[in-house]
Amino acid sequence: GTDMPLQLLKDRKRSLLNRVGLAVSWGLVSACATPAVASESCADACQLGAVAGTAQCRLWDSNTRSWVETIDDGAGQLHNRARVYLPWLRDRMMPAGGVMATVFTDTSFETVSSYGGERDPAIWTGAYLAAEALRFMTTGSPDAQAQMAETLRVLNRWWNLPGDPGYLARYAAPADSDPPILATLPGDEDEVHLNTPFEGQLWNWRGNVSRDQYQGVLLGYSLAYDALTDPHLRELIRADLVEFAEQLMRRETREVAIIINGSRFKVDLELENVLYLESEMRDGKPTLEIDTATGDVRGYGILVFWPQPRQYLRQIPLLGALVPDVKLPTQAIQLAAAYRAALHVSANVPEYAERHQALADYYEQQVADWLALAEDWQMRQDCGDAYHGINIAFMPAYTWARLETDATRRAQIKENLLQARLWPAVEDDKNAFFAFLYASQAPVGTELTAMLDAHVEQLAGFPVAPNQAVPVDLRGVYPEDPECPGQSAVAIDVSERVPASFVWQDKPFDWYDPGFEQRLFGGVDYLLAYWLGRYYGHIDDDAPGTCLVFEPPPVSAEAMELLLPHRGGWRALLEE
């Protein structure tokens, strides 16, 4: 009975029905694809507060069948605390996909002034990938799955931008990024490379990578490989890890510039367990600066993983004898974990059969020496100034123990390294991350209940989001260490600790910091510790039956009038 042309009527009808279909689709997603309605697999499908069209991501309680208006992330609400941290981290502290600290113009935290920690995004972005992998394996969260894929692609780019096998960029961003991002990559720094073409655009990136940066990435890659099912994403991981390990086992003779006690000369060295970066070599040659007092080796255009530096440096005529026979167990742990990860991702893949076998042969030739060195690991007594070194031993030790396939060797790693060396060094430090790593791999029969309870309680003291760099002054509250003036003699509770990018790698004895209240830290330290604890059953879910899903957008009265009288349903109506 209308005078409207038939085609216009159909177009109007189609537009309205598509809107209805969107509403119905969101409803079906909420009811079926997520556990929001009477399902035991309730899993977060989106990020808190995210918007898609007219739908917003909110917390649904399937127990009460209602939306949660105010999310409680306070005392005893560890799961919700993790949920609230994610928007702060992703939206404000991951410029171009890399984790950094952020300084804002004021404490409204709306406008970015600058970013900090520009030399450490690789390790913390890898740690974030690990957290999302653990979250997905624990809950099946589609949001965690999506974040794994996105973060993996970022790290894969960083591992391939430099162009040298196995060499990882510390950070990279598009050359046309916003000024605060570009400020982290100033062209007057030797380790910053500008306008490198990659993936159809220009990138600025930071090189001069250190061994610690690899440890977060290896942790994240190895866990994400187990969490993912997408063959393309798993191949990204496989290709990067295998190339990294193959470069490390390559033995070749290179002309190297050597600097010892200020003297510089060139010599041919047969090298192994080495990564190169051609663009940072001086005069086209890798350069090694050697401290003959400590055996420390600093590279330019070269990064060494040398558990026993003298094994290579003794080749230097005359001066090689000056280098002390220093043993570096952490680097042995890092090498073993790198090979174990590469073997794990290349196992039972026909296209990698030959390469896998070569890696396996090399690993078997070296692993006994690596394990013997690792079993000599000990903590440096320097008032905690080298505390970060514990983290870059613990991360790969966990990966090594988790992925080792030889039962006897796995038991040795767990008993002689984790239980006898690493854990005793930190058992009184109230470090929940190290506690959960150790507990996950502790030898069978180890009594862990009291220890885990204490460390879950410490994690519960982690501040709610956002993690602000507030001032801390605990002088007189904790006893002073007579051997380390200005520090506490006992570990400070996590609830009172100086905030940091990754609090678990900072010494727990600092009792004073002036703070900078315009700076925020992303909370990767909380997320990784929490999901590690959840995955291994050390922490119970304190928000069961709840999940983040998109609240369906409202359907207009006009659309409902069009839809409801039609018994064939909206799809049938569209077909008419």
Side-chain angles (χ1 to χ4, degrees), residues 312-336:
Y312 301 97
L313 300 180
R314 65 188 176 191
Q315 301 175 59
I316 303 173
L318 301 177
L319 294 176
L322 298 176
V323 180
D325 190 14
V326 175
K327 296 180 180 179
L328 305 172
T330 294
Q331 294 188 41
I333 299 168
Q334 292 169 350
L335 279 172

Side-chain angles (χ1 to χ4, degrees), residues 157-322:
R157 181 185 305 122
W158 295 0
W159 221 329
N160 290 275
L161 246 175
D164 295 88
Y167 202 93
L168 175 71
R170 288 178 177 270
Y171 177 66
D176 59 354
S177 295
D178 292 338
I181 299 177
L182 293 180
T184 68
L185 296 163
D188 59 353
E189 294 187 15
D190 290 342
E191 67 184 29
V192 172
H193 306 263
L194 304 180
N195 299 312
T196 299
F198 188 76
E199 295 178 338
Q201 66 181 118
L202 298 178
W203 294 83
N204 297 350
W205 57 279
R206 184 178 293 274
N208 190 24
V209 75
S210 49
R211 287 177 295 271
D212 61 333
Q213 298 303 299
Y214 283 89
Q215 306 320 309
V217 177
L218 286 169
L219 179 69
Y221 261 46
S222 58
L223 286 167
Y225 185 83
D226 291 343
L228 291 165
T229 57
D230 184 301
H232 172 69
L233 295 176
R234 296 186 102 205
E235 174 57 24
L236 293 182
I237 294 173
R238 186 181 300 116
D240 286 344
L241 290 182
V242 169
E243 182 180 63
F244 176 53
E246 287 177 334
Q247 173 59 36
L248 285 174
M249 75 178 185
R250 183 170 291 117
R251 193 170 185 87
E252 58 183 323
T253 299
R254 296 284 297 255
E255 185 180 42
V256 180
I258 302 293
I259 302 174
I260 296 183
N261 300 333
S263 299
R264 181 185 177 93
F265 55 95
K266 298 174 184 177
V267 63
D268 288 339
L269 296 180
E270 190 174 14
L271 301 176
E272 192 176 340
N273 301 145
V274 169
L275 303 173
Y276 300 102
L277 183 60
E278 295 285 344
S279 58
E280 289 185 1
M281 291 183 181
R282 299 179 174 181
D283 300 322
K285 294 177 177 58
T287 300
L288 293 175
E289 188 170 3
I290 303 163
D291 186 330
T292 56
T294 65
D296 184 54
V297 180
R298 181 181 179 183
Y300 302 90
I302 181 174
L303 176 65
V304 301
F305 285 77
W306 286 350
Q308 299 182 87
R310 194 163 183 262
Q311 179 181 354
Y312 301 97
L313 300 180
R314 65 188 176 191
Q315 301 175 59
I316 303 173
L318 301 177
L319 294 176
L322 298 176

Side-chain angles (χ1 to χ4, degrees), residues 29 55 77 103 175 345 408 426 429 543 568:
V29 167
Q77 298 295 324
V103 175
V345 301
T408 301
V426 298
D429 291 355

Side-chain angles (χ1 to χ4, degrees), residues 199 202 490 513 550:
E199 295 178 338
L202 298 178
V490 297
D513 188 273
F550 281 107

Side-chain angles (χ1 to χ4, degrees), residues 4-248:
M4 188 179 295
L6 179 60
Q7 187 57 49
L8 184 58
L9 176 61
K10 286 186 175 182
D11 289 346
R12 179 172 177 270
K13 190 181 295 185
R14 183 178 299 275
S15 175
L16 288 169
L17 292 172
N18 280 338
R19 290 163 57 195
V20 174
L22 176 62
V24 172
S25 296
W26 282 124
L28 290 175
V29 167
S30 297
C32 303
T34 70
V37 181
S39 169
E40 294 182 355
S41 59
C42 191
D44 290 349
C46 49
Q47 174 184 296
L48 178 65
V51 175
T54 57
Q56 185 176 34
C57 186
R58 298 180 59 196
L59 189 62
W60 172 262
D61 188 332
S62 65
N63 304 302
T64 62
R65 298 179 63 81
S66 62
W67 298 102
V68 178
E69 295 300 327
T70 302
I71 295 183
D72 182 2
D73 62 345
Q77 298 295 324
L78 303 190
H79 192 167
N80 283 344
R81 193 170 307 171
R83 286 167 166 153
V84 175
Y85 257 111
L86 284 174
W88 285 98
L89 171 65
R90 294 178 187 169
D91 298 342
R92 294 173 172 86
M93 281 161 274
M94 292 186 71
V99 173
M100 293 193 194
T102 305
V103 175
F104 296 84
T105 56
D106 54 48
T107 53
S108 68
F109 305 124
E110 293 297 329
T111 304
V112 173
S113 172
S114 62
Y115 295 102
E118 63 273 11
R119 301 189 80 243
D120 289 331
I123 185 173
W124 307 139
T125 307
Y128 170 63
L129 176 61
E132 293 291 30
L134 291 162
R135 180 164 74 112
F136 179 74
M137 291 190 289
T138 304
T139 68
S141 163
D143 178 58
Q145 186 177 38
Q147 286 299 313
M148 267 195 299
E150 182 175 336
T151 305
L152 172 58
R153 291 188 180 97
V154 169
L155 291 170
N156 171 256
R157 181 185 305 122
W158 295 0
W159 221 329
N160 290 275
L161 246 175
D164 295 88
Y167 202 93
L168 175 71
R170 288 178 177 270
Y171 177 66
D176 59 354
S177 295
D178 292 338
I181 299 177
L182 293 180
T184 68
L185 296 163
D188 59 353
E189 294 187 15
D190 290 342
E191 67 184 29
V192 172
H193 306 263
L194 304 180
N195 299 312
T196 299
F198 188 76
E199 295 178 338
Q201 66 181 118
L202 298 178
W203 294 83
N204 297 350
W205 57 279
R206 184 178 293 274
N208 190 24
V209 75
S210 49
R211 287 177 295 271
D212 61 333
Q213 298 303 299
Y214 283 89
Q215 306 320 309
V217 177
L218 286 169
L219 179 69
Y221 261 46
S222 58
L223 286 167
Y225 185 83
D226 291 343
L228 291 165
T229 57
D230 184 301
H232 172 69
L233 295 176
R234 296 186 102 205
E235 174 57 24
L236 293 182
I237 294 173
R238 186 181 300 116
D240 286 344
L241 290 182
V242 169
E243 182 180 63
F244 176 53
E246 287 177 334
Q247 173 59 36
L248 285 174

Side-chain angles (χ1 to χ4, degrees), residues 394 397-403 407 409-424 427 433-449 451-452 532 536 538:
F394 239 115
Y398 162 79
T399 298
W400 189 10
R402 186 177 78 87
L403 300 180
R409 191 179 298 141
R410 185 169 62 250
Q412 286 181 273
I413 299 166
K414 292 182 176 185
E415 295 172 12
N416 301 346
L417 174 57
L418 282 164
Q419 188 172 62
R421 292 291 183 172
L422 289 172
W423 178 241
E427 60 182 332
F433 178 53
F434 292 164
F436 297 159
L437 288 175
Y438 164 63
S440 75
Q441 303 300 318
V444 175
T446 304
E447 177 50 49
L448 299 168
T449 303
M451 180 273 282
L452 285 171
L532 188 72
Y536 284 106
H538 308 326

